[in-house]
Amino acid sequence: QIHLVQSGAEVKKPGASVKVSCKASGYTFTSYGFSWVRQAPGQGLEWMGWISAYNGNTNYAQRLQGRVAMTTDTSTSTAYMELRSLRSDDTAVYYCARGSGYESAVDIWGQGTMVTVS
Amino acid sequence: QSVLTQPPSVSAAPGQKVTISCSGSSSNIGNNYVSWYQQLPGTAPKLLIYDNNKRPSGIPDRFSGSKSGTSATLGITGLQTGDEADYYCGTWDGSLSAVVFGGGTKLTVL
């Protein structure tokens, strides 16, 4: 069974940073990458970027450039997304999702991590 | 305002068929594969269709996808109450260098 298990909910103050983890199991970690997608309360899906678990290459959404950083740790099969200089409009559920490339569909999703900025 | 345009809501009776449209442009749908996701209330999205019309294993053939030009369509036949969810289309946009999604369509099975 393939699973992506994310870290728990976070409450942060404006200006702080948050780092969300996504632990993968059930497949070869380095054969795929991860997209990170967020969803503000009552809103649609917003793509934040993608990281290759094979070589660490990243592709970030332009509107988040400079504030977001995605990394992976192959020793623990875990992907991370850090968002800095948090604002109230960053309040959202953050999802990691497995994909074969930055432009490709994502087939496995984590359960989501609620980040509240207040 | 989403880059891809979906109707906010659709509805149909159990057992009937419904289609959900997704309209874009040559920089996104027109030159890239489209995927569709189902999001049941309070849960993470789930992949229904990828590469315009392919179904992942475990997705019933009641769900189908198609693409023509700069528009894509999700079809659902034999509607069940368990199909009530939000549905999103997504694709790569070469001009924005980003994955873009539609605003989502809420399906109600009356």
Side-chain angles (χ1 to χ4, degrees):
Chain A
Q1 278 275 34
I2 298 171
H3 291 293
L4 299 179
V5 178
Q6 298 183 221
S7 48
E10 304 262 13
V11 179
K12 296 292 183 181
K13 293 196 179 301
S17 298
V18 69
K19 192 169 186 177
V20 179
S21 68
C22 171
K23 183 169 177 59
S25 62
Y27 71 97
T28 302
F29 183 73
T30 52
S31 294
Y32 294 83
F34 295 87
S35 280
W36 287 85
V37 176
R38 68 180 180 178
Q39 186 172 36
Q43 302 300 308
L45 305 175
E46 179 188 5
W47 182 78
M48 301 178 67
W50 180 85
I51 182 167
S52 166
Y54 174 71
N55 58 17
N57 285 351
T58 55
N59 188 341
Y60 299 142
Q62 193 163 8
R63 70 188 297 259
L64 294 174
Q65 286 274 6
R67 287 208 300 138
V68 68
M70 296 175 188
T71 56
T72 59
D73 182 342
T74 57
S75 69
T76 60
S77 298
T78 303
Y80 298 92
M81 185 285 300
E82 182 176 27
L83 190 61
R84 301 180 286 268
S85 301
L86 289 168
R87 309 187 293 244
S88 58
D89 62 355
D90 291 318
T91 294
V93 177
Y94 289 74
Y95 295 102
C96 63
R98 187 184 80 162
S100 57
Y102 58 84
E103 80 290 1
S104 71
V106 287
D107 61 349
I108 305 294
W109 293 67
Q111 84 275 19
T113 296
M114 182 70 213
V115 175
T116 303
V117 183
S118 176
Chain B
Q1 190 85 0
S2 301
V3 173
L4 304 180
T5 301
Q6 297 181 234
S9 63
V10 295
S11 62
Q16 297 300 303
K17 173 182 177 177
V18 72
T19 60
I20 297 173
S21 60
C22 176
S23 177
S25 68
S26 59
S27 66
N28 42 65
I29 292 177
N31 283 285
N32 295 285
Y33 288 120
V34 177
S35 52
W36 289 90
Y37 302 90
Q38 175 194 60
Q39 187 175 33
L40 297 170
T43 70
K46 174 183 176 182
L47 179 64
L48 284 181
I49 298 289
Y50 68 100
D51 290 357
N52 302 331
N53 55 18
K54 296 183 174 66
R55 282 176 287 106
S57 62
I59 301 299
D61 59 7
R62 300 190 299 110
F63 295 91
S64 64
S66 64
K67 188 182 102 168
S68 178
T70 59
S71 293
T73 302
L74 173 70
I76 311 172
T77 60
L79 277 171
Q80 303 171 1
T81 55
D83 295 332
E84 287 201 334
D86 293 322
Y87 292 83
Y88 294 91
C89 58
T91 188
W92 177 257
D93 190 300
S95 294
L96 298 174
S97 293
V99 170
V100 293
F101 293 101
T105 298
K106 183 175 181 60
L107 169 63
T108 301
V109 181
L110 302 167

